[in-house]
Amino acid sequence: MKVLVDQDRCVGHGICEMKAPDVFAIGDDGVSHVLVDEISDDHRDAVADAVASCPSQALRLTD
């Protein structure tokens, strides 16, 4: 599983980074960046929670 960030929609709320800090980081550009290529089983629930919690709906899960 992978997670993608729509850079045009992301406004840098940081909720994703708070919920899954090993997967997301807000960069100097003010938007979220994914830190890993594949989401491990250990992080799946936190990432799914981050995707569901994103107020700008900028995150998307893919296979």
Side-chain angles (χ1 to χ4, degrees):
M1 176 191 318
K2 295 182 180 191
V3 63
L4 304 174
V5 178
D6 183 336
Q7 301 289 312
D8 293 329
R9 294 187 103 172
C10 181
V11 293
H13 285 285
I15 294 170
C16 57
E17 184 179 33
M18 183 176 55
K19 293 192 176 272
D22 294 334
V23 178
F24 300 101
I26 302 298
D28 292 337
D29 57 358
V31 296
S32 182
H33 296 274
V34 180
L35 303 174
V36 298
D37 291 327
E38 292 281 332
I39 306 303
S40 69
D41 290 339
D42 293 344
H43 294 108
R44 283 181 187 251
D45 289 342
V47 171
D49 189 25
V51 169
S53 300
C54 180
S56 59
Q57 299 178 338
L59 305 175
R60 180 169 53 101
L61 293 172
T62 66
D63 292 327

